[in-house]
Amino acid sequence: MLMSQCLAHALKEWENVFADAVDLKTLKSKTHLVLVQILERTIQLRNNDASWGKHPREETAYAILTINNIAGLPILSHLAAPLQSILDSSRKILSEKANLSSEPEYLWIEKVTYGSCILSKSYILAALKCSSSNLTAKCPLQIPADDTTVQANFYSKLPLFANSSDLEVKASILEGTLFSATLRQDCAGIFPRKNMREEKYLRFIPFTWTGGNNVSNQALSADVCREMMTISALIYQADEFMESIVGSQPSRLLPQVVSGINNIFDAIDARQNAEPCQLNSEAALYLNGSTRLEDIIDILRTFVEFTVYHPHISGASEYDLWQLRLNLREFLLSHLTQVEDNHRLRAQKSLEEDATFQSPTGSFASWIRSTSANHTGGPFAFSFLLCLLSRDGKDYFSSVEAKFIAQDVSRHVSTMCRMYNDWGSIMRDRKEKNLNSINFPEFYRTGERTNTAVVDEAGVKKRLSQLFHYERQCLNLALAELKNVCSEQKAKQIQVFCDVTDLYGQMYVVKDLTPELKKRKQDIELVEDADLKKLKAL
């Protein structure tokens, strides 16, 4: 309560005295973020009868004053009606329970219980009589109310938010939007983004973590959520880079990219500086007009070093860091395997006549749980989360049983997400001739027509949906077992990760989130043309 009052007052003073100060824009954005988080957490702690806490008079008074301090912010104007409804109903219950002549309620303050008749009466009267706050402090970020409403209508359809109110969903969207400015900064400078069109994943990634975390009552700290947002965005950028740049290289050069990636990790494992990748004369030439293979390796090295030497995971154990390096390597190598699979699929002369992949290196079951699951970045992101949560050089999970089950959870949720992804992107993958789950022969019964033009798409999608429902059952079983071998707090934190990953899958089903490869290539060509013109001008 006092914190919200202090920060709201600070915003007011900054607006009056330093309205146009550039150096305060970041501070103002962060202050708005903290106030929105305070508002969300206060509302979530509300009891079913519109009161707060186990001592409903004084605690309810504190909560009413907290909400009242924040509700007047201009960025919350589109939430004015539901916030006022909360204040009205809570004031009503407070007035019914308030007995100013009774003894004070003893609240746990720091290390003692404390009660004061004067303070209790003062706060109760203030909560009942306070007028609505009228703040004029504007947030440096432009947050259109209509855009928030459109997003809320979309997200409210997803199973994860079935029990969330419209206010809770919109507040999580607002919180995510306030994270977006720093997210763009955190992701800058790793993968080439100059002159690239704004990618839509930077709009929804923050919400997936704020929304998923709020559903679980903030099992993860705001700092951890922010770092996971960055990793999620970099996974999308890495996927785009590997498909658009690396994937366009001739097949005969891909083994050198594999060698370059392995060299990077071998050097890190040996605590040495990675040596430049040895390229043959053909690979040393500029490829695709302006991209050299050695440049590709340098970009990937920057990404790997950014991740494994991240300052926020310096307290992780050697085991958790080793798992991170292992899964990050598999993440990158799986993209190259996918590229090779795509090349073989496109080389099939009868692709239009036969939708099945004629040269798989293994069964669908082995592919979906290895190459395909790694390709999503799920196991890599899971390992990074454990490193963020690990403290004092100790393993996040101490027992072999917990480690085993946790990795099983990671594998199941990543597999399920990839199935969701493929289910929602069948048309795009068919157009771009990318390997999709439904290209595997297991999806077609003996004698069934597999001609692309007449294939029973509804039947194939139904078979795929049956499989990701099976994976969900496996995931739920693994999560239930994990709760038996770790603390309640750790189980909640892992649940947030699963909810967020599952959320991406649910969103894929509603709408394919990945830009078409052709569009990505056009963006990159625009960058190359612009750079070429600059060089000619010099």
Side-chain angles (χ1 to χ4, degrees):
M1 177 194 67
L2 296 177
M3 178 67 74
S4 66
Q5 186 180 38
C6 175
L7 292 177
H9 181 72
L11 281 176
K12 181 179 179 180
E13 291 302 310
W14 291 336
E15 189 72 16
N16 293 335
V17 183
F18 306 105
D20 299 321
V22 176
D23 56 342
L24 281 178
K25 285 186 176 181
T26 301
L27 184 58
K28 288 179 181 178
S29 295
K30 290 183 177 180
T31 303
H32 277 88
L33 173 60
V34 172
L35 287 171
V36 170
Q37 290 172 332
I38 291 174
L39 178 67
E40 288 177 309
R41 281 129 182 87
T42 303
I43 292 174
Q44 283 190 334
L45 293 173
R46 191 173 182 234
N47 297 328
N48 292 332
D49 66 351
S51 67
W52 272 267
K54 297 179 180 179
H55 306 87
R57 287 179 295 159
E58 194 166 337
E59 290 186 64
T60 299
Y62 293 153
I64 290 173
L65 291 170
T66 299
I67 295 173
N68 194 71
N69 289 335
I70 302 171
L73 286 172
I75 62 169
L76 296 172
S77 60
H78 61 294
L79 301 179
L83 289 175
Q84 188 59 50
S85 177
I86 288 176
L87 289 173
D88 291 343
S89 59
S90 296
R91 282 191 178 118
K92 180 180 179 181
I93 195 70
L94 179 60
S95 64
E96 294 172 355
K97 294 185 176 183
N99 183 356
L100 300 182
S101 62
S102 63
E103 290 295 318
E105 297 169 320
Y106 283 84
L107 278 68
W108 185 264
I109 308 295
E110 294 185 355
K111 296 183 179 180
V112 297
T113 54
Y114 181 80
S116 167
C117 284
I118 296 176
L119 287 176
S120 180
K121 292 177 182 178
S122 299
Y123 281 118
I124 290 173
L125 286 172
L128 291 173
K129 303 298 182 181
C130 66
S131 58
S132 299
S133 59
N134 185 20
L135 301 173
T136 59
K138 295 181 180 180
C139 180
L141 293 176
Q142 298 297 320
I143 307 175
D146 291 344
D147 187 48
T148 301
T149 301
V150 171
Q151 291 185 60
N153 291 338
F154 173 76
Y155 294 131
S156 296
K157 299 175 184 177
L158 305 179
L160 184 61
F161 302 107
N163 297 321
S164 300
S165 67
D166 183 66
L167 173 61
E168 290 171 331
V169 173
K170 287 182 177 178
S172 294
I173 292 171
L174 182 58
E175 182 187 0
T177 304
L178 291 168
F179 268 114
S180 63
T182 56
L183 177 60
R184 296 178 190 280
Q185 297 171 5
D186 294 340
C187 295
I190 297 179
F191 293 100
R193 307 300 305 167
K194 187 174 64 172
N195 294 340
M196 294 286 280
R197 292 177 183 145
E198 182 180 355
E199 298 294 356
K200 53 188 176 183
Y201 54 76
L202 290 179
R203 294 183 59 199
F204 65 75
I205 282 176
F207 169 77
T208 61
W209 284 98
T210 57
N213 194 40
N214 288 334
V215 167
S216 297
N217 294 319
Q218 299 86 41
L220 298 177
S221 70
D223 286 340
V224 169
C225 283
R226 172 181 168 173
E227 297 307 326
M228 291 308 298
M229 291 175 197
T230 302
I231 289 299
S232 299
L234 289 175
I235 286 174
Y236 271 91
Q237 292 184 2
D239 180 80
E240 179 184 32
F241 178 78
M242 296 297 278
E243 283 193 32
S244 301
I245 299 298
V246 180
S248 62
Q249 308 303 325
S251 298
R252 62 184 177 278
L253 298 180
L254 294 181
Q256 294 192 66
V257 182
V258 173
S259 298
I261 292 172
N262 285 326
N263 181 51
I264 294 169
F265 284 95
D266 291 344
I268 290 174
D269 289 340
R271 300 295 192 274
Q272 299 172 354
N273 293 323
E275 297 179 0
C277 180
Q278 298 298 317
L279 308 177
N280 61 34
S281 57
E282 181 182 16
L285 298 175
Y286 278 88
L287 302 173
N288 295 331
S290 64
T291 306
R292 294 185 303 174
L293 198 55
E294 59 189 17
D295 294 331
I296 290 174
I297 302 303
D298 285 340
I299 291 169
L300 295 178
R301 180 183 292 109
T302 300
F303 171 52
V304 170
E305 292 180 349
F306 169 85
T307 304
V308 301
Y309 297 131
H310 197 290
H312 286 194
I313 63 173
S314 58
S317 70
E318 282 297 320
Y319 173 81
D320 287 336
L321 289 171
W322 171 70
Q323 281 289 319
L324 172 62
R325 295 193 299 272
L326 182 67
N327 286 319
L328 177 54
R329 187 197 296 235
E330 290 299 324
F331 168 65
L332 295 176
L333 293 178
S334 69
H335 276 80
L336 296 177
T337 303
Q338 177 82 36
V339 168
E340 293 174 345
D341 288 340
N342 290 343
H343 285 173
R344 294 203 311 279
L345 179 68
R346 293 163 190 167
Q348 292 181 193
K349 294 182 179 179
S350 59
L351 184 59
E352 294 301 323
E353 300 176 1
D354 188 354
T356 59
F357 187 29
Q358 297 174 1
S359 56
T361 56
S363 68
F364 171 71
S366 63
W367 174 82
I368 194 67
R369 288 203 173 98
S370 55
T371 298
S372 189
N374 291 329
H375 187 274
T376 67
F380 154 48
F382 185 81
S383 297
F384 190 82
L385 175 63
L386 299 194
C387 288
L388 285 174
L389 298 173
S390 180
R391 294 289 184 272
D392 303 322
K394 298 180 181 178
D395 294 352
Y396 181 75
F397 290 112
S398 56
S399 69
V400 63
E401 187 177 11
K403 288 182 172 73
F404 183 89
I405 296 174
Q407 290 184 31
D408 194 39
V409 166
S410 168
R411 190 61 52 177
H412 282 305
V413 74
S414 300
T415 299
M416 186 176 69
C417 184
R418 176 56 190 260
M419 288 179 176
Y420 272 124
N421 186 347
D422 283 1
W423 192 93
S425 62
I426 289 175
M427 295 303 296
R428 177 175 60 84
D429 286 338
R430 183 177 296 167
K431 181 179 179 180
E432 297 181 4
K433 298 182 179 180
N434 291 329
L435 181 61
N436 187 291
S437 292
I438 67 164
N439 292 123
F440 278 80
E442 288 93 329
F443 281 88
Y444 302 93
R445 299 183 178 92
T446 303
E448 185 175 6
R449 299 179 69 184
T450 58
N451 185 295
T452 304
V454 298
V455 68
D456 180 13
E457 185 172 310
V460 173
K461 292 181 75 171
K462 181 179 179 180
R463 294 164 199 168
L464 182 57
S465 69
Q466 291 170 339
L467 295 181
F468 59 64
H469 287 315
Y470 169 77
E471 282 296 322
R472 182 178 296 281
Q473 292 177 324
C474 294
L475 172 63
N476 291 338
L477 177 61
L479 284 170
E481 290 297 323
L482 186 63
K483 292 178 182 179
N484 296 328
V485 295
C486 71
S487 68
E488 181 180 359
Q489 178 63 16
K490 290 184 177 181
K492 287 182 178 179
Q493 290 172 333
I494 299 306
Q495 183 67 59
V496 173
F497 178 86
C498 292
D499 285 344
V500 172
T501 307
D502 188 18
L503 183 57
Y504 286 110
Q506 295 172 19
M507 291 164 67
Y508 276 121
V509 171
V510 177
K511 186 177 182 180
D512 186 14
L513 300 174
T514 309
E516 289 188 10
L517 181 59
K518 182 178 180 181
K519 176 179 177 295
R520 294 198 296 265
K521 286 184 176 179
Q522 288 174 344
D523 291 339
I524 294 166
E525 288 170 359
L526 288 174
V527 176
E528 294 175 352
D529 290 344
D531 290 341
L532 187 59
K533 289 179 180 178
K534 290 179 181 179
L535 288 172
K536 290 181 178 179
L538 294 174

